[in-house]
């Protein structure tokens, strides 16, 4: 197979038009057309660019006698499973769907305390028909029901992605053309990821501001409890935004085996995941327990920034021990 046929074959397997490939190489569509019709031959720099874009070796492109695609990157042991474009696309779709379902469950859990906060706030008003004890009881009942529904979301999310779970383990190689496709997808998605991540972080940072202002102004218990409900809602919205976009970004990097999904960082990530699974439920339990025991919602929010810094410190220690 000659170079012209290989370029055309790889382009079509990647799902690109001649215009798409020309744009990626910063050349005209006519140039790509001439290459594929064997009217001209790309120079050495273009050959290298084609190798990077399609994820194949330059030997495969330049040597007519080489018919088997030689992918570039880290060599894998013989017998390692090859991930096709269909499998990797299915992997991303499953991860995104699982993330959306998980985000709904987390959103409900974070909002589950809001009815109790609102009822307790209303109970501080003289004309409200129920007292604070009954309000707390009704609020806890609603919380338990909502958490039960959330667990159903989590169980449903855990059932997705079983067929493509081998990609999470990292013990795979990509079929030719797949690397270039997802490299391009990651590049195009980066701007959206940055925007939504920044919006989510802004919500996380500013969520305690209304409560802090109310506490400084020595507002009534009604206002303080309502601001606690607002805090929970802002955190819930932030999580609902960040989980799906983070899942898509992570799925792309996992397929490309870049960043935190490179071979030398996978073991560290597994330790961090195990820590997070224990750490954050404990933080939530401490926050809710302290808040209800002291009923000082204007100060108990300090648990969250301390917990965030503490988690970062633990992750840093994990990395230090890993290096040692």
């Amino acid at each position: 197979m000659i170079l012209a046929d290989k370029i055309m074959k790889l382009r079509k397997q990647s799902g690109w038009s001649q215009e798409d490939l020309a744009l990626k190489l910063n050349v005209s569509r006519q140039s790509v057309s001439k290459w594929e019709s064997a009217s001209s031959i790309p120079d050495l720099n273009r050959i290298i660019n084609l190798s990077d874009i399609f994820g194949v070796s330059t030997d495969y492109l330049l040597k007519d006698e080489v018919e088997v695609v030689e992918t570039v990157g880290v060599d894998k042991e013989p017998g390692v499973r090859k991930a096709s474009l269909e499998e990797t696309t299915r992997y991303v779709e499953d991860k995104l769907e699982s993330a959306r379902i998980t985000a709904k469950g987390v959103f409900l859990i974070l909002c589950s305390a809001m009815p109790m906060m609102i009822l307790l706030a209303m109970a501080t008003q003289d004309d409200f028909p129920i007292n604070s004890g009954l309000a707390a009881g009704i609020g806890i009942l609603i919380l338990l029901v909502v958490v039960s529904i959330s667990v159903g979301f989590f169980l449903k999310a855990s059932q997705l992605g079983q067929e493509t779970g081998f990609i999470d383990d990292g013990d795979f190689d990509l079929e030719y053309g797949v690397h270039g496709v997802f490299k391009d997808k990651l590049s195009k998605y980066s701007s959206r990821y940055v925007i939504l991540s920044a919006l989510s972080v802004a919500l996380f940072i500013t969520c305690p501001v209304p409560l802090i202002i109310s506490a400084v102004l020595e507002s009534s218990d009604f206002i303080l409890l309502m601001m606690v409900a607002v805090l929970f809602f802002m955190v819930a919205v932030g999580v609902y935004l960040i989980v799906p976009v983070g899942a898509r970004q992570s799925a792309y990097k996992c397929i490309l085996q870049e960043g935190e999904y490179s071979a030398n960082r996978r073991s560290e990530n597994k330790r961090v995941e195990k820590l997070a699974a224990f750490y954050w439920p404990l933080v939530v339990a401490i926050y809710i327990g302290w808040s209800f025991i002291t009923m000082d919602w204007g100060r108990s929010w300090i648990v969250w920034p301390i917990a965030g810094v503490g988690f970062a410190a633990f992750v840093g220690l994990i990395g230090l021990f890993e290096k040692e």
Side-chain angles (χ1 to χ4, degrees):
M1 187 184 299
I2 63 174
L3 174 61
D5 294 334
K6 291 177 180 178
I7 293 175
M8 182 184 298
K9 180 180 179 181
L10 292 171
R11 175 179 63 78
K12 290 182 178 180
Q13 286 176 340
S14 299
W16 298 334
S17 65
Q18 289 184 343
E19 289 84 353
D20 293 334
L21 181 57
L23 184 61
K24 298 177 188 300
L25 294 170
N26 196 25
V27 298
S28 65
R29 187 198 64 80
Q30 290 76 13
S31 296
V32 176
S33 178
K34 289 180 180 179
W35 297 344
E36 294 185 353
S37 63
S39 299
S40 66
I41 299 175
D43 59 31
L44 182 58
N45 288 332
R46 300 302 182 198
I47 292 292
I48 295 174
N49 290 339
L50 286 167
S51 171
D52 291 337
I53 289 173
F54 290 128
V56 300
S57 67
T58 54
D59 280 350
Y60 170 74
L61 293 173
L62 294 173
K63 296 180 179 180
D64 295 345
E65 66 274 12
V66 179
E67 298 292 335
V68 178
V69 175
E70 300 173 353
T71 55
V72 296
V74 180
D75 294 332
K76 298 289 184 177
E77 297 179 0
V80 171
R81 181 168 178 174
K82 291 281 188 177
S84 65
L85 180 60
E86 291 76 14
E87 287 176 320
T88 49
T89 301
R90 175 67 182 277
Y91 171 78
V92 174
E93 292 174 351
D94 287 344
K95 283 294 182 182
L96 186 57
E97 181 63 20
S98 177
R100 287 170 177 164
I101 296 173
T102 301
K104 292 177 183 178
V106 175
F107 181 87
L108 287 176
I109 285 181
L110 290 171
C111 291
S112 62
M114 289 177 57
M116 181 165 52
M117 297 299 103
I118 295 172
L119 287 172
L120 287 173
M122 297 299 295
T124 62
Q125 306 300 303
D126 295 333
D127 56 347
F128 195 64
I130 62 176
N131 57 33
S132 59
L134 182 57
I138 296 173
I140 291 174
L141 179 62
I142 295 174
L143 184 148
L144 293 175
V145 171
V146 174
V147 169
S148 300
I149 296 173
S150 300
V151 171
F153 280 107
F154 297 146
L155 292 175
K156 182 179 179 180
S158 66
Q159 302 302 313
L160 296 173
Q162 295 182 356
E163 295 180 0
T164 55
F166 68 94
I167 295 179
D168 285 321
D169 298 330
D171 191 20
F172 70 95
D173 200 359
L174 297 174
E175 291 186 355
Y176 59 92
V178 178
H179 186 277
V181 171
F182 281 95
K183 193 73 174 177
D184 182 62
K185 288 179 180 290
L186 178 61
S187 177
K188 290 181 178 179
Y189 190 71
S190 295
S191 59
R192 178 178 175 84
Y193 173 76
V194 170
I195 292 172
L196 291 178
S197 297
L199 180 58
S200 299
V201 170
L203 287 171
F204 295 148
I205 293 175
T206 58
C207 66
V209 171
L211 183 59
I212 294 173
I213 294 175
S214 300
V216 170
L217 297 177
E218 298 182 353
S219 301
S220 63
D221 291 341
F222 174 82
I223 297 297
L224 288 174
L225 289 169
M226 292 299 289
M227 290 304 100
V228 172
V230 170
L231 183 150
F232 276 111
F233 182 73
M234 292 177 68
V235 172
V237 172
V239 170
Y240 189 79
L241 290 175
I242 193 63
V243 170
V245 297
R248 184 187 288 271
Q249 180 89 345
S250 297
Y252 288 157
K253 289 188 174 182
C254 185
I255 291 171
L256 297 171
Q257 301 191 56
E258 295 181 351
E260 63 269 28
Y261 294 97
S262 58
N264 60 338
R265 292 188 60 182
R266 283 184 179 273
S267 59
E268 179 182 341
N269 291 336
K270 290 179 180 179
R271 290 185 175 89
V272 172
E273 290 174 0
K274 291 179 180 178
L275 172 64
F278 165 78
Y279 183 87
W280 289 112
L282 178 61
V283 171
V284 172
I286 292 173
Y287 171 71
I288 294 177
W290 181 23
S291 300
F292 273 111
I293 292 174
T294 63
M295 291 304 293
D296 192 358
W297 297 91
R299 295 181 182 179
S300 60
W301 62 269
I302 197 66
V303 167
W304 295 107
I306 293 175
V309 174
F311 186 75
F314 283 128
V315 171
L317 286 174
I318 290 175
L320 179 62
F321 291 145
E322 182 75 13
K323 291 178 182 179
E324 290 182 353

